[in-house]
Amino acid sequence: MDRQNYTSPFTERYGTDDMRMIFSDRYRHGVWRELWYVLALSQHRLGVNITKEQIEEIEQAMCEDINYDNAIKYESETHHDIVAHLREFGDHCPTAKGILHLGATSCYISDNADIILMHKAMGYINNQLTDIIDKLSDLAIKHYDTPIVGRTHLQKAQLTTIGKRIAMWLNDFCIDRSMLTDIVNTIRLLGCKGATGSQSSLYTLFDKDYRKALKLDYLIGEYYGINCVQIAGQTYTRKYDSMVANILSQIAQSASKMATDIRLMSAFGEMHEGFGRKQIGSSAMPYKRNPITCEKVCGISRYVICNSQNMAITASTQWLERTLDDSSNKRIAMAELFLGISEVLKCLESIMDKLVVCTDVCIKNAIEHCNMASLEDDIIRDVMAGGDRQEGHKNAIFSNGSENAHINTGFAKHQVIKFIKGELL
């Protein structure tokens, strides 16, 4: 790795290898090559004068290594990365290079590739989310009846259970997974729409048979298993990018909430991250066991939440049929959004695998607080016996606690079991 020049922390430190692969140059440019193949193959099937031998040559060329030295040389001449790779690809299929990119724009390559990469990346995130939901379900069941002091405004409140609190995190991630599934099923490939989305050049290519232009989009979508949009300018609507960024932000919000809760409970001695034998909690205070992984989750989640606004602003400032100010921004922002979330979810899995629930401390704190936590039950019983609720509440404010104190976690237990068995499994 180059240590003399700046590299992004996502290059090596944050993110997963699988996500780095998806957004790598090699994978993206391989998708570009495949899109040129799919375009030529579909046009061949629709009767354009492209021979079977040319299709076979393009297919073979897809498997050959990309000559990045040539691609860089071509881009220095053309100042256009897609045209540079088109020329480089043409070097591998000389008899077919004349028909490559026929009737297409650069956005046929870049936009379709972006959707393909996001689809693959969302599938990976979905798998990570599913693993987290499974782990949280197991933890919630394990601790469904472990009492803990509830906290509202961070002040001691009625009792709940560890399982119930975990189920709150779990519920957020279930919402995220449902939203992610909806977006995967909603976003569409651009297809081949031409310079302004009218497919005018394809109307010419297919000798004024517009049905073939429509069929071309169908064949492209069929190849990838993703439908093509019907209405577009030169690009697909950038609302798709905003939708994808938003769900990544939503996941980051859920992750940060969970990590923050663990950090707070760690301060109360009720729960903490696992701590390795050689791990250093503080360079100055060796007795400390700082929740560093949860802190990393919160930090990167904050980055994802803020960065997601890039896509919203881009979608709201598109000019007429297209503008190019989205490209430079998006190639940085979208990859880092996915890499950030992959790191966040990887960290959450690690936290759950090593999470320590201090049951004795939770029970001790619950016993110490149960007298006060039972006051509302006393007020209700008093009112049911004919008392005045407002008077009872006023008196309770200055009370030292209930003589009828008890630890009642049954309702929380019922919620956890019903949710996990009814909603998830």
Side-chain angles (χ1 to χ4, degrees):
M1 182 176 176
D2 184 2
R3 302 295 181 182
Q4 301 300 316
N5 295 291
Y6 174 79
T7 57
S8 168
F10 290 114
T11 303
E12 191 174 75
R13 190 177 187 88
Y14 301 141
T16 63
D17 291 340
D18 286 336
M19 198 61 77
R20 273 189 282 271
M21 181 279 295
I22 292 172
F23 288 98
S24 68
D25 284 349
R26 182 62 187 84
Y27 189 78
R28 180 183 297 273
H29 296 149
V31 172
W32 287 6
R33 284 181 164 193
E34 185 179 58
L35 282 162
W36 278 312
Y37 165 73
V38 172
L39 180 64
L41 175 64
S42 300
Q43 290 172 341
H44 166 74
R45 291 173 61 183
L46 292 170
V48 176
N49 188 22
I50 297 174
T51 66
K52 180 180 178 182
E53 289 71 25
Q54 287 174 313
I55 296 299
E56 290 173 349
E57 185 183 55
I58 297 170
E59 186 175 20
Q60 175 60 39
M62 282 198 301
C63 302
E64 298 177 8
D65 290 339
I66 297 172
N67 188 324
Y68 277 99
D69 289 337
N70 283 348
I72 292 169
K73 178 172 73 74
Y74 293 145
E75 186 170 355
S76 70
E77 298 168 354
T78 62
H79 301 283
H80 198 300
D81 57 343
I82 291 177
V83 170
H85 277 270
L86 174 61
R87 291 187 179 182
E88 192 282 331
F89 191 37
D91 292 342
H92 295 266
C93 46
T95 66
K97 69 177 181 179
I99 55 90
L100 292 176
H101 206 76
L102 188 59
T105 66
S106 297
C107 290
Y108 164 75
I109 298 298
S110 61
D111 276 32
N112 286 316
D114 284 347
I115 293 292
I116 292 165
L117 264 58
M118 288 191 291
H119 251 261
K120 187 173 183 67
M122 285 189 287
Y124 179 80
I125 294 299
N126 182 70
N127 291 338
Q128 284 189 290
L129 271 179
T130 299
D131 289 342
I132 283 173
I133 286 170
D134 289 343
K135 289 179 184 292
L136 283 174
S137 298
D138 291 341
L139 280 172
I141 290 292
K142 181 178 179 180
H143 297 287
Y144 71 83
D145 60 352
T146 303
I148 191 169
V149 175
R151 297 181 189 269
T152 60
H153 308 267
L154 202 55
Q155 308 304 307
K156 292 179 180 178
Q158 284 188 346
L159 302 183
T160 183
T161 71
I162 290 286
K164 172 63 166 53
R165 191 168 281 170
I166 292 172
M168 291 165 60
W169 308 335
L170 182 58
N171 187 52
D172 285 349
F173 285 117
C174 288
I175 293 170
D176 295 335
R177 186 173 62 174
S178 177
M179 291 176 62
L180 181 66
T181 300
D182 288 343
I183 291 170
V184 168
N185 293 332
T186 297
I187 64 173
R188 300 283 184 263
L189 292 171
L190 172 66
C192 192
K193 295 294 193 294
T196 62
S198 67
Q199 295 183 301
S200 176
S201 56
L202 298 173
Y203 185 70
T204 301
L205 178 66
F206 292 120
D207 195 23
K208 300 181 180 181
D209 187 348
Y210 188 58
R211 292 172 300 176
K212 288 187 176 181
L214 297 176
K215 182 71 171 178
L216 179 63
D217 269 2
Y218 172 80
L219 292 175
I220 294 168
E222 183 182 50
Y223 184 91
Y224 288 104
I226 308 171
N227 292 332
C228 295
V229 296
Q230 294 182 329
I231 301 295
Q234 191 177 112
T235 66
Y236 63 72
T237 173
R238 292 317 189 218
K239 287 185 71 68
Y240 285 164
D241 297 335
S242 183
M243 291 165 62
V244 171
N246 179 61
I247 184 54
L248 298 180
S249 172
Q250 294 287 333
I251 296 169
Q253 294 164 40
S254 301
S256 187
K257 168 64 166 69
M258 172 180 165
T260 299
D261 284 355
I262 294 174
R263 291 167 67 186
L264 292 172
M265 285 188 284
S266 178
F268 299 135
E270 297 167 338
M271 180 183 292
H272 61 81
E273 299 178 10
F275 200 81
R277 288 187 62 193
K278 297 182 179 181
Q279 185 173 334
I280 303 296
S282 168
S283 61
M285 295 166 280
Y287 56 85
K288 290 182 68 182
R289 295 189 175 188
N290 300 330
I292 57 173
T293 309
C294 284
E295 290 170 338
K296 187 209 294 191
V297 167
C298 292
I300 297 178
S301 292
R302 187 183 311 130
Y303 178 82
V304 170
I305 293 165
C306 294
N307 198 16
S308 68
Q309 294 305 302
N310 264 311
M311 302 296 105
I313 294 169
T314 296
S316 68
T317 56
Q318 288 296 287
W319 292 9
L320 305 176
E321 275 66 47
R322 94 147 301 181
T323 179
L324 197 58
D325 59 351
D326 60 340
S327 177
S328 54
N329 183 306
K330 181 179 177 181
R331 71 175 62 202
I332 301 169
M334 191 58 79
E336 293 193 352
L337 284 168
F338 273 105
L339 282 161
I341 283 298
S342 71
E343 175 69 17
V344 163
L345 297 181
K346 179 180 74 173
C347 286
L348 287 185
E349 286 199 67
S350 174
I351 290 167
M352 285 183 287
D353 286 341
K354 302 172 184 177
L355 191 66
V356 176
V357 177
C358 304
T359 305
D360 291 347
V361 175
C362 293
I363 294 173
K364 175 179 175 291
N365 291 344
I367 291 172
E368 289 176 353
H369 181 62
C370 69
N371 282 30
M372 302 300 290
S374 297
L375 283 173
E376 187 177 16
D377 292 335
D378 291 344
I379 293 171
I380 291 173
R381 279 191 289 266
D382 182 60
V383 171
M384 297 303 291
D388 183 286
R389 191 269 176 194
Q390 303 309 319
E391 283 297 318
H393 184 273
K394 183 172 64 174
N395 294 331
I397 292 175
F398 303 102
S399 171
N400 291 321
S402 170
E403 296 180 359
N404 300 311
H406 62 284
I407 297 179
N408 177 17
T409 57
F411 183 69
K413 177 173 71 174
H414 173 73
Q415 285 185 312
V416 172
I417 299 297
K418 181 180 178 182
F419 173 65
I420 293 178
K421 291 190 177 296
E423 300 293 329
L424 293 177
L425 306 179

mmCIF file of all heavy atoms in Angstrom, residues 367-404:
data_model
loop_
_atom_site.group_PDB
_atom_site.id
_atom_site.type_symbol
_atom_site.label_atom_id
_atom_site.label_comp_id
_atom_site.label_asym_id
_atom_site.label_seq_id
_atom_site.Cartn_x
_atom_site.Cartn_y
_atom_site.Cartn_z
ATOM 1 N N ILE A 367 -33.654 -3.760 42.131
ATOM 2 C CA ILE A 367 -34.156 -3.914 43.506
ATOM 3 C C ILE A 367 -34.099 -2.578 44.250
ATOM 4 O O ILE A 367 -35.024 -2.185 44.967
ATOM 5 C CB ILE A 367 -33.349 -4.995 44.254
ATOM 6 C CG1 ILE A 367 -33.654 -6.374 43.671
ATOM 7 C CG2 ILE A 367 -33.651 -4.969 45.750
ATOM 8 C CD1 ILE A 367 -32.775 -7.482 44.209
ATOM 9 N N GLU A 368 -32.999 -1.855 44.071
ATOM 10 C CA GLU A 368 -32.838 -0.567 44.757
ATOM 11 C C GLU A 368 -33.886 0.457 44.311
ATOM 12 O O GLU A 368 -34.291 1.319 45.091
ATOM 13 C CB GLU A 368 -31.444 -0.015 44.494
ATOM 14 C CG GLU A 368 -30.338 -0.781 45.209
ATOM 15 C CD GLU A 368 -28.956 -0.261 44.856
ATOM 16 O OE1 GLU A 368 -28.859 0.615 43.949
ATOM 17 O OE2 GLU A 368 -27.965 -0.730 45.464
ATOM 18 N N HIS A 369 -34.332 0.326 43.072
ATOM 19 C CA HIS A 369 -35.259 1.329 42.536
ATOM 20 C C HIS A 369 -36.712 0.863 42.545
ATOM 21 O O HIS A 369 -37.615 1.660 42.307
ATOM 22 C CB HIS A 369 -34.849 1.698 41.103
ATOM 23 C CG HIS A 369 -35.711 2.742 40.471
ATOM 24 N ND1 HIS A 369 -35.831 4.024 40.973
ATOM 25 C CD2 HIS A 369 -36.523 2.699 39.364
ATOM 26 C CE1 HIS A 369 -36.658 4.730 40.223
ATOM 27 N NE2 HIS A 369 -37.093 3.950 39.236
ATOM 28 N N CYS A 370 -36.968 -0.395 42.821
ATOM 29 C CA CYS A 370 -38.330 -0.912 42.617
ATOM 30 C C CYS A 370 -39.345 -0.234 43.535
ATOM 31 O O CYS A 370 -40.527 -0.127 43.190
ATOM 32 C CB CYS A 370 -38.372 -2.433 42.763
ATOM 33 S SG CYS A 370 -38.109 -3.047 44.436
ATOM 34 N N ASN A 371 -38.938 0.229 44.734
ATOM 35 C CA ASN A 371 -39.871 0.949 45.600
ATOM 36 C C ASN A 371 -40.440 2.179 44.898
ATOM 37 O O ASN A 371 -41.643 2.434 44.939
ATOM 38 C CB ASN A 371 -39.170 1.364 46.895
ATOM 39 C CG ASN A 371 -39.026 0.213 47.862
ATOM 40 O OD1 ASN A 371 -38.926 -0.930 47.438
ATOM 41 N ND2 ASN A 371 -39.009 0.509 49.154
ATOM 42 N N MET A 372 -39.572 2.952 44.264
ATOM 43 C CA MET A 372 -40.026 4.153 43.556
ATOM 44 C C MET A 372 -40.763 3.776 42.265
ATOM 45 O O MET A 372 -41.758 4.403 41.900
ATOM 46 C CB MET A 372 -38.839 5.052 43.226
ATOM 47 C CG MET A 372 -38.035 5.500 44.438
ATOM 48 S SD MET A 372 -39.022 6.447 45.630
ATOM 49 C CE MET A 372 -39.301 7.956 44.724
ATOM 50 N N ALA A 373 -40.268 2.746 41.596
ATOM 51 C CA ALA A 373 -40.871 2.342 40.323
ATOM 52 C C ALA A 373 -42.297 1.838 40.502
ATOM 53 O O ALA A 373 -43.092 1.831 39.548
ATOM 54 C CB ALA A 373 -40.020 1.266 39.655
ATOM 55 N N SER A 374 -42.650 1.410 41.724
ATOM 56 C CA SER A 374 -43.985 0.854 41.964
ATOM 57 C C SER A 374 -45.017 1.907 42.354
ATOM 58 O O SER A 374 -46.187 1.580 42.571
ATOM 59 C CB SER A 374 -43.912 -0.207 43.071
ATOM 60 O OG SER A 374 -43.097 -1.280 42.672
ATOM 61 N N LEU A 375 -44.598 3.173 42.473
ATOM 62 C CA LEU A 375 -45.525 4.204 42.936
ATOM 63 C C LEU A 375 -46.728 4.377 42.014
ATOM 64 O O LEU A 375 -47.843 4.618 42.474
ATOM 65 C CB LEU A 375 -44.790 5.542 43.093
ATOM 66 C CG LEU A 375 -43.925 5.667 44.354
ATOM 67 C CD1 LEU A 375 -43.109 6.945 44.322
ATOM 68 C CD2 LEU A 375 -44.790 5.613 45.606
ATOM 69 N N GLU A 376 -46.510 4.273 40.707
ATOM 70 C CA GLU A 376 -47.658 4.447 39.803
ATOM 71 C C GLU A 376 -48.685 3.335 40.000
ATOM 72 O O GLU A 376 -49.894 3.570 39.934
ATOM 73 C CB GLU A 376 -47.215 4.504 38.338
ATOM 74 C CG GLU A 376 -48.371 4.853 37.412
ATOM 75 C CD GLU A 376 -47.969 4.989 35.957
ATOM 76 O OE1 GLU A 376 -46.874 4.528 35.576
ATOM 77 O OE2 GLU A 376 -48.774 5.552 35.180
ATOM 78 N N ASP A 377 -48.208 2.122 40.261
ATOM 79 C CA ASP A 377 -49.134 1.020 40.555
ATOM 80 C C ASP A 377 -49.969 1.351 41.803
ATOM 81 O O ASP A 377 -51.178 1.077 41.858
ATOM 82 C CB ASP A 377 -48.366 -0.282 40.784
ATOM 83 C CG ASP A 377 -47.693 -0.788 39.521
ATOM 84 O OD1 ASP A 377 -48.179 -0.443 38.428
ATOM 85 O OD2 ASP A 377 -46.686 -1.502 39.637
ATOM 86 N N ASP A 378 -49.310 1.954 42.795
ATOM 87 C CA ASP A 378 -50.024 2.314 44.025
ATOM 88 C C ASP A 378 -51.093 3.370 43.746
ATOM 89 O O ASP A 378 -52.208 3.306 44.291
ATOM 90 C CB ASP A 378 -49.040 2.851 45.071
ATOM 91 C CG ASP A 378 -48.118 1.768 45.605
ATOM 92 O OD1 ASP A 378 -48.438 0.584 45.406
ATOM 93 O OD2 ASP A 378 -47.091 2.108 46.211
ATOM 94 N N ILE A 379 -50.754 4.343 42.915
ATOM 95 C CA ILE A 379 -51.717 5.391 42.569
ATOM 96 C C ILE A 379 -52.936 4.781 41.877
ATOM 97 O O ILE A 379 -54.091 5.107 42.190
ATOM 98 C CB ILE A 379 -51.060 6.457 41.666
ATOM 99 C CG1 ILE A 379 -49.986 7.213 42.449
ATOM 100 C CG2 ILE A 379 -52.103 7.433 41.119
ATOM 101 C CD1 ILE A 379 -49.137 8.128 41.568
ATOM 102 N N ILE A 380 -52.686 3.871 40.962
ATOM 103 C CA ILE A 380 -53.780 3.233 40.224
ATOM 104 C C ILE A 380 -54.664 2.433 41.182
ATOM 105 O O ILE A 380 -55.902 2.494 41.121
ATOM 106 C CB ILE A 380 -53.223 2.345 39.096
ATOM 107 C CG1 ILE A 380 -52.599 3.224 37.999
ATOM 108 C CG2 ILE A 380 -54.327 1.450 38.509
ATOM 109 C CD1 ILE A 380 -51.882 2.452 36.918
ATOM 110 N N ARG A 381 -54.032 1.667 42.099
ATOM 111 C CA ARG A 381 -54.819 0.885 43.053
ATOM 112 C C ARG A 381 -55.661 1.794 43.954
ATOM 113 O O ARG A 381 -56.818 1.499 44.277
ATOM 114 C CB ARG A 381 -53.888 0.009 43.891
ATOM 115 C CG ARG A 381 -53.459 -1.284 43.210
ATOM 116 C CD ARG A 381 -52.761 -2.216 44.182
ATOM 117 N NE ARG A 381 -51.453 -1.722 44.556
ATOM 118 C CZ ARG A 381 -50.316 -2.074 43.943
ATOM 119 N NH1 ARG A 381 -50.356 -2.916 42.926
ATOM 120 N NH2 ARG A 381 -49.154 -1.584 44.345
ATOM 121 N N ASP A 382 -55.065 2.948 44.328
ATOM 122 C CA ASP A 382 -55.786 3.891 45.192
ATOM 123 C C ASP A 382 -56.996 4.476 44.477
ATOM 124 O O ASP A 382 -58.086 4.600 45.058
ATOM 125 C CB ASP A 382 -54.836 5.007 45.629
ATOM 126 C CG ASP A 382 -55.510 5.984 46.574
ATOM 127 O OD1 ASP A 382 -55.963 5.550 47.646
ATOM 128 O OD2 ASP A 382 -55.586 7.181 46.231
ATOM 129 N N VAL A 383 -56.825 4.831 43.210
ATOM 130 C CA VAL A 383 -57.930 5.392 42.438
ATOM 131 C C VAL A 383 -59.024 4.352 42.249
ATOM 132 O O VAL A 383 -60.223 4.647 42.361
ATOM 133 C CB VAL A 383 -57.430 5.920 41.072
ATOM 134 C CG1 VAL A 383 -58.626 6.309 40.183
ATOM 135 C CG2 VAL A 383 -56.506 7.110 41.266
ATOM 136 N N MET A 384 -58.630 3.114 41.966
ATOM 137 C CA MET A 384 -59.618 2.053 41.784
ATOM 138 C C MET A 384 -60.410 1.794 43.072
ATOM 139 O O MET A 384 -61.534 1.286 43.031
ATOM 140 C CB MET A 384 -58.935 0.759 41.334
ATOM 141 C CG MET A 384 -58.228 0.866 39.984
ATOM 142 S SD MET A 384 -59.331 1.395 38.653
ATOM 143 C CE MET A 384 -60.366 -0.046 38.498
ATOM 144 N N ALA A 385 -59.821 2.169 44.222
ATOM 145 C CA ALA A 385 -60.515 2.007 45.498
ATOM 146 C C ALA A 385 -61.294 3.260 45.879
ATOM 147 O O ALA A 385 -61.814 3.356 47.001
ATOM 148 C CB ALA A 385 -59.514 1.669 46.594
ATOM 149 N N GLY A 386 -61.343 4.242 44.949
ATOM 150 C CA GLY A 386 -62.132 5.434 45.204
ATOM 151 C C GLY A 386 -61.339 6.688 45.454
ATOM 152 O O GLY A 386 -61.914 7.755 45.722
ATOM 153 N N GLY A 387 -60.021 6.626 45.395
ATOM 154 C CA GLY A 387 -59.196 7.797 45.654
ATOM 155 C C GLY A 387 -59.138 8.758 44.478
ATOM 156 O O GLY A 387 -59.684 8.502 43.401
ATOM 157 N N ASP A 388 -58.440 9.886 44.692
ATOM 158 C CA ASP A 388 -58.283 10.939 43.676
ATOM 159 C C ASP A 388 -56.901 10.804 43.042
ATOM 160 O O ASP A 388 -55.871 10.871 43.738
ATOM 161 C CB ASP A 388 -58.442 12.314 44.320
ATOM 162 C CG ASP A 388 -58.364 13.446 43.300
ATOM 163 O OD1 ASP A 388 -57.235 13.726 42.830
ATOM 164 O OD2 ASP A 388 -59.422 14.037 42.984
ATOM 165 N N ARG A 389 -56.877 10.669 41.740
ATOM 166 C CA ARG A 389 -55.604 10.425 41.052
ATOM 167 C C ARG A 389 -54.636 11.598 41.228
ATOM 168 O O ARG A 389 -53.432 11.417 41.469
ATOM 169 C CB ARG A 389 -55.863 10.170 39.561
ATOM 170 C CG ARG A 389 -54.645 9.632 38.788
ATOM 171 C CD ARG A 389 -53.804 10.715 38.192
ATOM 172 N NE ARG A 389 -52.620 10.165 37.547
ATOM 173 C CZ ARG A 389 -51.576 10.879 37.180
ATOM 174 N NH1 ARG A 389 -51.556 12.176 37.417
ATOM 175 N NH2 ARG A 389 -50.553 10.318 36.597
ATOM 176 N N GLN A 390 -55.118 12.829 41.087
ATOM 177 C CA GLN A 390 -54.241 13.993 41.179
ATOM 178 C C GLN A 390 -53.659 14.136 42.587
ATOM 179 O O GLN A 390 -52.488 14.482 42.753
ATOM 180 C CB GLN A 390 -55.005 15.259 40.787
ATOM 181 C CG GLN A 390 -55.612 15.213 39.385
ATOM 182 C CD GLN A 390 -54.590 14.814 38.321
ATOM 183 O OE1 GLN A 390 -53.440 15.262 38.360
ATOM 184 N NE2 GLN A 390 -54.996 13.951 37.397
ATOM 185 N N GLU A 391 -54.483 13.878 43.607
ATOM 186 C CA GLU A 391 -53.988 13.943 44.969
ATOM 187 C C GLU A 391 -52.938 12.862 45.219
ATOM 188 O O GLU A 391 -51.915 13.093 45.860
ATOM 189 C CB GLU A 391 -55.148 13.775 45.958
ATOM 190 C CG GLU A 391 -56.006 15.003 46.118
ATOM 191 C CD GLU A 391 -55.224 16.174 46.697
ATOM 192 O OE1 GLU A 391 -54.420 15.946 47.635
ATOM 193 O OE2 GLU A 391 -55.405 17.306 46.192
ATOM 194 N N GLY A 392 -53.241 11.659 44.717
ATOM 195 C CA GLY A 392 -52.294 10.559 44.880
ATOM 196 C C GLY A 392 -50.963 10.858 44.210
ATOM 197 O O GLY A 392 -49.895 10.555 44.747
ATOM 198 N N HIS A 393 -51.021 11.464 43.013
ATOM 199 C CA HIS A 393 -49.806 11.805 42.290
ATOM 200 C C HIS A 393 -49.016 12.860 43.052
ATOM 201 O O HIS A 393 -47.784 12.784 43.180
ATOM 202 C CB HIS A 393 -50.160 12.304 40.879
ATOM 203 C CG HIS A 393 -48.957 12.583 40.018
ATOM 204 N ND1 HIS A 393 -48.309 13.810 40.024
ATOM 205 C CD2 HIS A 393 -48.275 11.796 39.140
ATOM 206 C CE1 HIS A 393 -47.292 13.766 39.181
ATOM 207 N NE2 HIS A 393 -47.253 12.552 38.636
ATOM 208 N N LYS A 394 -49.703 13.879 43.574
ATOM 209 C CA LYS A 394 -49.048 14.946 44.318
ATOM 210 C C LYS A 394 -48.350 14.392 45.556
ATOM 211 O O LYS A 394 -47.203 14.765 45.866
ATOM 212 C CB LYS A 394 -50.074 16.007 44.725
ATOM 213 C CG LYS A 394 -49.466 17.213 45.442
ATOM 214 C CD LYS A 394 -50.510 18.300 45.647
ATOM 215 C CE LYS A 394 -51.620 17.832 46.571
ATOM 216 N NZ LYS A 394 -52.568 18.930 46.900
ATOM 217 N N ASN A 395 -48.983 13.502 46.252
ATOM 218 C CA ASN A 395 -48.384 12.908 47.447
ATOM 219 C C ASN A 395 -47.193 12.027 47.105
ATOM 220 O O ASN A 395 -46.205 11.963 47.845
ATOM 221 C CB ASN A 395 -49.435 12.099 48.218
ATOM 222 C CG ASN A 395 -50.538 12.988 48.782
ATOM 223 O OD1 ASN A 395 -50.308 14.162 49.077
ATOM 224 N ND2 ASN A 395 -51.729 12.413 48.954
ATOM 225 N N ALA A 396 -47.288 11.360 45.966
ATOM 226 C CA ALA A 396 -46.224 10.432 45.574
ATOM 227 C C ALA A 396 -44.933 11.163 45.226
ATOM 228 O O ALA A 396 -43.836 10.595 45.338
ATOM 229 C CB ALA A 396 -46.685 9.582 44.398
ATOM 230 N N ILE A 397 -45.058 12.429 44.772
ATOM 231 C CA ILE A 397 -43.868 13.189 44.387
ATOM 232 C C ILE A 397 -42.869 13.253 45.548
ATOM 233 O O ILE A 397 -41.652 13.206 45.352
ATOM 234 C CB ILE A 397 -44.267 14.612 43.934
ATOM 235 C CG1 ILE A 397 -45.042 14.546 42.619
ATOM 236 C CG2 ILE A 397 -43.030 15.504 43.784
ATOM 237 C CD1 ILE A 397 -45.585 15.879 42.149
ATOM 238 N N PHE A 398 -43.383 13.353 46.764
ATOM 239 C CA PHE A 398 -42.521 13.501 47.935
ATOM 240 C C PHE A 398 -42.376 12.195 48.710
ATOM 241 O O PHE A 398 -41.910 12.175 49.844
ATOM 242 C CB PHE A 398 -43.100 14.590 48.846
ATOM 243 C CG PHE A 398 -43.258 15.921 48.152
ATOM 244 C CD1 PHE A 398 -44.507 16.336 47.701
ATOM 245 C CD2 PHE A 398 -42.161 16.723 47.915
ATOM 246 C CE1 PHE A 398 -44.658 17.544 47.046
ATOM 247 C CE2 PHE A 398 -42.301 17.938 47.264
ATOM 248 C CZ PHE A 398 -43.552 18.362 46.823
ATOM 249 N N SER A 399 -42.777 11.085 48.070
ATOM 250 C CA SER A 399 -42.725 9.793 48.754
ATOM 251 C C SER A 399 -41.325 9.204 48.702
ATOM 252 O O SER A 399 -40.525 9.502 47.805
ATOM 253 C CB SER A 399 -43.716 8.831 48.092
ATOM 254 O OG SER A 399 -43.541 7.524 48.584
ATOM 255 N N ASN A 400 -41.014 8.377 49.674
ATOM 256 C CA ASN A 400 -39.747 7.639 49.663
ATOM 257 C C ASN A 400 -39.886 6.274 48.992
ATOM 258 O O ASN A 400 -38.955 5.479 49.011
ATOM 259 C CB ASN A 400 -39.254 7.438 51.100
ATOM 260 C CG ASN A 400 -38.824 8.743 51.728
ATOM 261 O OD1 ASN A 400 -38.227 9.581 51.064
ATOM 262 N ND2 ASN A 400 -39.133 8.912 53.013
ATOM 263 N N GLY A 401 -41.061 6.011 48.449
ATOM 264 C CA GLY A 401 -41.255 4.753 47.761
ATOM 265 C C GLY A 401 -42.416 3.968 48.313
ATOM 266 O O GLY A 401 -42.991 4.308 49.340
ATOM 267 N N SER A 402 -42.741 2.911 47.619
ATOM 268 C CA SER A 402 -43.926 2.127 47.933
ATOM 269 C C SER A 402 -43.627 0.994 48.900
ATOM 270 O O SER A 402 -42.580 0.349 48.825
ATOM 271 C CB SER A 402 -44.503 1.541 46.640
ATOM 272 O OG SER A 402 -45.508 0.600 46.914
ATOM 273 N N GLU A 403 -44.562 0.780 49.794
ATOM 274 C CA GLU A 403 -44.451 -0.383 50.674
ATOM 275 C C GLU A 403 -44.850 -1.660 49.954
ATOM 276 O O GLU A 403 -44.594 -2.760 50.430
ATOM 277 C CB GLU A 403 -45.343 -0.181 51.910
ATOM 278 C CG GLU A 403 -44.914 0.984 52.789
ATOM 279 C CD GLU A 403 -45.822 1.153 53.995
ATOM 280 O OE1 GLU A 403 -46.788 0.359 54.101
ATOM 281 O OE2 GLU A 403 -45.560 2.047 54.818
ATOM 282 N N ASN A 404 -45.502 -1.476 48.797
ATOM 283 C CA ASN A 404 -45.948 -2.639 48.012
ATOM 284 C C ASN A 404 -45.027 -2.893 46.821
ATOM 285 O O ASN A 404 -45.458 -3.375 45.783
ATOM 286 C CB ASN A 404 -47.379 -2.420 47.517
ATOM 287 C CG ASN A 404 -48.350 -2.237 48.653
ATOM 288 O OD1 ASN A 404 -48.353 -3.018 49.589
ATOM 289 N ND2 ASN A 404 -49.167 -1.196 48.580
#
